Amino acid sequence: PRLWLIVPAAGIGQRMGAEQPKQYLRIDERFILDITLSRLMDSAPFAGCMVPLHPADRWWPDTEARSDSRIQTCTGGSERACSVLAALRALAEQSDDQDWVLVHDAARPCVHTADLANLIDSVYEHPVGGLLASPVADTLKRAGAGELPEVESTLDRRGLWRALTPQMFRYRLLVDALEAALDAGVEVTDESSAVEFSGNMPVLVEGRPDNIKITVPADLALANFILGQF
Ligand code: CTP
Ligand code: MG
């Protein structure tokens, strides 16, 4: 099976609150989206890459990725899962059912190439797929229903993991899972949750916890620091 890459970049970065979507903010003068794309495309033998963009995107023409012939774009959707499904459909003619699709957030430029390689190696023979994840380090509380919520319980964090990306799934299984989950109206915050909803259980592959998603302004400074360590 071949490897395909999808990097959803159709979000507007509401929580970042910047003038432009966060994937088009710059770290060391490069767009975050370019850092993410070049890091991944240079590290694994992808057959191609699809990047869903917002219908009103005006920044893509200024990217470095624009001139990489392996990278194509399509129009994304109103939710992340819709953007990923749009990208999968845009790859339909080129891909086979058993091919692998890796989905990675545009807003995660700090992904380590060793983790990417480890994910691919660990999952390549698996029938379903898997995802990078990191054991939870925080103490987690479940809140009660009150207006000023009181602690109802402390979760046992042993066995709890934080889902990261890339997430890697068989092409047909992922298309079917996303379609079914969106049809059913279940919340799909990552590919794995859709696949789980379809009754298939992905593999957890431990990845570095510094593979952060840039969400709020403080994450930008953190990502800058992490990238400086490489
Ligand atoms: N994304 C997408 N299509 C959407 C929403 C999100 O392709 N309709 C992408 C984002 O561009 C980002 C990734 O999915 O690379 C993770 O989503 P998130 O961190 O939530 O980004 P935004 O939706 O842009 O941010 P916010 O939720 O703060 O608006
Ligand atoms: Mg979002």
Side-chain angles (χ1 to χ4, degrees):
R2 288 169 302 169
L3 297 167
W4 300 92
L5 177 63
I6 292 176
V7 177
I12 57 168
Q14 193 169 4
R15 286 169 288 180
M16 180 62 72
E19 300 247 318
Q20 62 270 65
K22 60 194 181 185
Q23 59 273 26
Y24 295 117
L25 296 174
R26 293 178 192 266
I27 293 179
D28 270 347
E29 302 188 359
R30 298 179 73 199
F31 283 142
I32 288 171
L33 179 56
D34 276 326
I35 298 173
T36 304
L37 281 171
S38 60
R39 185 176 284 276
L40 292 172
M41 289 303 284
D42 292 347
S43 318
F46 289 109
C49 173
M50 187 63 69
V51 182
L53 299 175
H54 193 277
D57 184 287
R58 345 184 230 112
W59 296 274
W60 177 259
D62 296 330
T63 60
E64 299 161 19
R66 154 119 207 169
S67 42
D68 185 332
S69 59
R70 302 167 298 175
I71 302 177
Q72 302 167 266
T73 65
C74 66
T75 303
S78 56
E79 302 288 330
R80 183 182 176 286
C82 304
S83 296
V84 172
L85 192 53
L88 286 162
R89 286 178 176 146
L91 286 171
E93 301 282 288
Q94 307 167 58
S95 54
D96 295 323
D97 286 358
Q98 291 303 314
D99 280 354
W100 288 110
V101 181
L102 281 82
V103 182
H104 182 77
D105 293 324
R108 287 187 196 268
C110 302
V111 57
H112 239 265
T113 56
D115 280 354
L116 173 69
N118 192 27
L119 174 70
I120 294 171
D121 283 354
S122 306
V123 170
Y124 201 78
E125 304 293 336
H126 197 268
V128 175
L131 60 144
L132 288 182
S134 173
V136 166
D138 297 312
T139 299
L140 300 176
K141 306 292 186 190
R142 182 178 299 287
E147 194 185 321
L148 187 66
E150 289 176 345
V151 173
E152 189 180 279
S153 61
T154 298
L155 301 189
D156 182 354
R157 74 172 175 226
R158 284 172 302 175
L160 290 182
W161 296 63
R162 240 164 19 101
L164 306 171
T165 75
Q167 303 200 352
M168 171 171 169
F169 293 102
R170 301 277 183 184
Y171 176 85
R172 177 54 49 196
L173 182 123
L174 182 57
V175 172
D176 291 349
L178 282 170
E179 283 178 349
L182 289 171
D183 277 353
V186 297
E187 205 189 357
V188 184
T189 52
D190 67 349
E191 287 59 56
S192 181
S193 50
V195 169
E196 294 153 36
F197 179 73
S198 77
N200 293 290
M201 292 308 153
V203 181
L204 291 164
V205 178
E206 184 164 358
R208 295 170 56 117
D210 59 3
N211 177 11
I212 61 163
K213 182 163 73 68
I214 297 176
T215 305
V216 295
D219 296 331
L220 203 57
L222 191 54
N224 211 322
F225 177 78
I226 294 165
L227 287 169
Q229 308 285 97
F230 286 2

